Amino acid sequence: MAETSATTGTGEPASRPRKSSWKYIGPGIVVAATGVGAGDLVATLIAGSKFGYTLMWAAVIGCVVKISLAEAAGRWHLATGRTLFDGWRSLGPWTTVYFAIYVVIWGFIYGATAMSSSALPVVALFPDGPGLKFWAIVTGLIGLAFVWFNRYAVFEKVMTVLIGIMFVVVVYVAARVVPDVGASFAGLLPVLPDGSLLYTLGLIGGVGGTITMAAYGYWVNAKGWSNSSWMKVMRLDNRVAYITTGVFVVAMLIVGAELLHASQVALTSGDRGLVDLGAVLEDRFGAGTAKLFLVGFFATSFSSLIGVWHGVSLMFADFVERFRAPAAPAAPAVSEAQAGPAVTERQQRSLPFRAYLLWLTFPPMTLLWLDEPFGLVIAYGVLGAFFMPFLALTLIWLLNSPRTPSEWRNGWVSNGMLALAGLLFVVLCVQQVRELPW
């Protein structure tokens, strides 16, 4: 049931701005836990192993860019009472066509990737047990059951626990390798060593930058934040999310710089690189530290799995609902009572939500036995590369148009940061497409 114009679901006046408070923090923790996957940590480790502390400044800039991008997505939801896909649809049918193809192909391949990534640390922890395929299927089924039978409040609590484990483990490992504080601060000075451009762009744009940034607004609504009175709360929540992400990136750069750079240890690219790091940690600090790191590796991978299972399924449910409904007018009438949370609660029980959950879980299991088909890899790479530029540039469009109430449209800082994000992601998109196995 939607809230009345007088009160919210908490019984407070809907129009009164909430004070930003730590007690409200939640969706940001979810987006941080989901956005940082095992592959991101490996990429950061490799950057640290190749260039030491030199690219620390890129991690900081990346944090600021993604704060701006996620803030824009959350601001759209709260200021307009419309979902992000509703906004995309108002830009023309091309957005619907792109998203429909993207979400189907991306979900199919990502499902297999997420299950394999979650299984890797389990296999490393229990080498005498079942193999990778068995644990991949088990983690996928656990993720399916968890999201299917729980609502947002429980989901958020579990994600908070997982990100707590990630945070403690990553910071502990960084402390164990004894960071060079002077070199860390020196790394805040923007410098581009030879051969570092792609690693720099990857640090700025890659870590924590996925479709889950678009899901942030849906989690904001699921939390119960439904209108502009929650804007200050959302902005604090979002900053916490990406500052946390920034700590992960800095900690992994330190590990790469101190543990791998000096000894010239090379990691396997992709998620398996973290298994390699576990072996290096065991040699250096003993089995206890290595096992603790593998537990953190599992928390990182499994939080991404259930985060995508929940957040992207919400986006798909909204996509189906909006696709079936008549297109909304370009400039909506915004009231104090906006039904975002009620819509999100209904969508979590809807057939499209659960159908996409099943799509993420069962069809991708076939890829655990088969090499990924060549054409599918190309399509996945191209569509995935285009998503972040698509998100940044469409947010600029939406938040500078009459679709957004004038007081919540972009200022020059927001436009500058989103334009920077858009340019960065376009460059990364071109590079990702060039690197595909054509």
Side-chain angles (χ1 to χ4, degrees):
M1 180 175 175
E3 297 170 357
T4 68
S5 60
T7 64
T8 68
T10 61
E12 300 178 60
S15 58
R16 189 177 73 209
R18 273 71 174 178
K19 293 181 180 179
S20 54
S21 171
W22 293 98
K23 70 180 181 179
Y24 293 123
I25 297 301
I29 296 297
V30 171
V31 79
T34 306
V36 180
D40 295 315
L41 296 187
V42 172
T44 308
L45 276 169
I46 292 175
S49 70
K50 287 182 176 292
F51 303 104
Y53 292 96
T54 310
L55 300 182
M56 190 75 76
W57 63 273
V60 174
I61 291 178
C63 181
V64 174
V65 165
K66 285 184 278 288
I67 285 174
S68 302
L69 198 54
E71 186 275 340
R75 176 155 45 95
W76 167 264
H77 276 250
L78 295 181
T80 67
R82 300 169 69 179
T83 65
L84 188 53
F85 184 78
D86 200 15
W88 285 339
R89 193 181 177 206
S90 73
L91 301 179
W94 64 275
T95 58
T96 301
V97 172
Y98 169 75
F99 187 78
I101 298 171
Y102 170 78
V103 80
V104 171
I105 296 177
W106 181 88
F108 182 50
I109 295 188
Y110 180 82
T113 302
M115 287 186 278
S116 296
S117 179
S118 297
L120 278 169
V122 181
V123 173
L125 282 166
F126 305 104
D128 297 327
L132 182 70
K133 295 182 180 65
F134 174 85
W135 286 117
I137 291 171
V138 167
T139 57
L141 293 176
I142 291 173
L144 170 68
F146 173 75
V147 175
W148 188 289
F149 292 109
N150 288 293
R151 295 292 167 261
Y152 177 79
V154 176
F155 166 72
E156 183 187 286
K157 287 181 173 63
V158 171
M159 292 292 274
T160 301
V161 171
L162 291 172
I163 200 171
I165 294 170
M166 293 163 58
F167 190 91
V168 169
V169 169
V170 169
V171 172
Y172 169 75
V173 172
R176 283 299 301 269
V177 301
V178 190
D180 184 332
V181 177
S184 299
F185 281 105
L188 296 175
L189 181 67
V191 173
L192 273 179
D194 291 342
S196 68
L197 179 60
L198 295 181
Y199 293 96
T200 303
L201 293 175
L203 278 177
I204 296 174
V207 182
T210 68
I211 190 174
T212 55
M213 296 189 74
Y216 178 61
Y218 292 84
W219 285 322
V220 162
N221 286 158
K223 179 72 170 176
W225 305 347
S226 59
N227 54 49
S228 58
S229 69
W230 292 98
M231 201 69 76
K232 286 185 178 180
V233 176
M234 181 275 292
R235 284 170 168 162
L236 173 64
D237 178 76
N238 173 51
R239 288 174 191 136
V240 169
Y242 284 99
I243 289 172
T244 303
T245 301
V247 171
F248 287 142
V249 176
V250 168
M252 294 310 282
L253 267 177
I254 289 170
V255 174
E258 294 293 343
L259 196 62
L260 307 176
H261 181 61
S263 56
Q264 295 298 300
V265 175
L267 296 183
T268 306
S269 61
D271 299 348
R272 291 184 182 273
L274 292 186
V275 177
D276 295 347
L277 180 60
V280 173
L281 288 170
E282 184 168 4
D283 290 340
R284 178 85 173 265
F285 302 113
T289 298
K291 290 185 184 301
L292 181 64
F293 175 75
L294 290 171
V295 170
F297 177 5
F298 175 78
T300 300
S301 297
F302 192 67
S303 64
S304 294
L305 186 152
I306 61 174
V308 166
W309 264 229
H310 188 276
V312 183
S313 295
L314 268 182
M315 293 183 69
F316 182 76
D318 184 55
F319 162 73
V320 173
E321 186 172 304
R322 306 296 167 183
F323 184 75
R324 290 173 175 171
V334 180
S335 67
E336 290 294 341
Q338 297 166 353
V343 169
T344 306
E345 181 66 24
R346 184 183 73 248
Q347 287 172 339
Q348 289 179 93
R349 294 186 172 92
S350 68
L351 178 60
F353 179 88
R354 290 180 167 172
Y356 195 73
L357 268 178
L358 295 173
W359 175 253
L360 281 167
T361 307
F362 290 105
M365 288 179 183
T366 61
L367 296 180
L368 299 174
W369 277 270
L370 303 172
D371 289 333
E372 295 170 356
F374 178 77
L376 204 57
V377 172
I378 298 297
Y380 173 79
V382 172
L383 290 167
F386 273 94
F387 184 79
M388 292 304 289
F390 169 80
L391 176 62
L393 298 175
T394 54
L395 281 171
I396 291 176
W397 190 345
L398 291 170
L399 291 170
N400 284 287
S401 74
R403 298 171 181 84
T404 304
S406 57
E407 65 179 303
W408 298 115
R409 290 178 197 162
N410 279 356
W412 67 270
V413 174
S414 294
N415 276 326
M417 293 306 300
L418 287 177
L420 175 63
L423 177 62
L424 168 69
F425 291 128
V426 166
V427 173
L428 283 171
C429 170
V430 171
Q431 182 60 33
Q432 285 178 261
V433 172
R434 286 179 57 192
E435 290 180 350
L436 288 171
W438 298 96

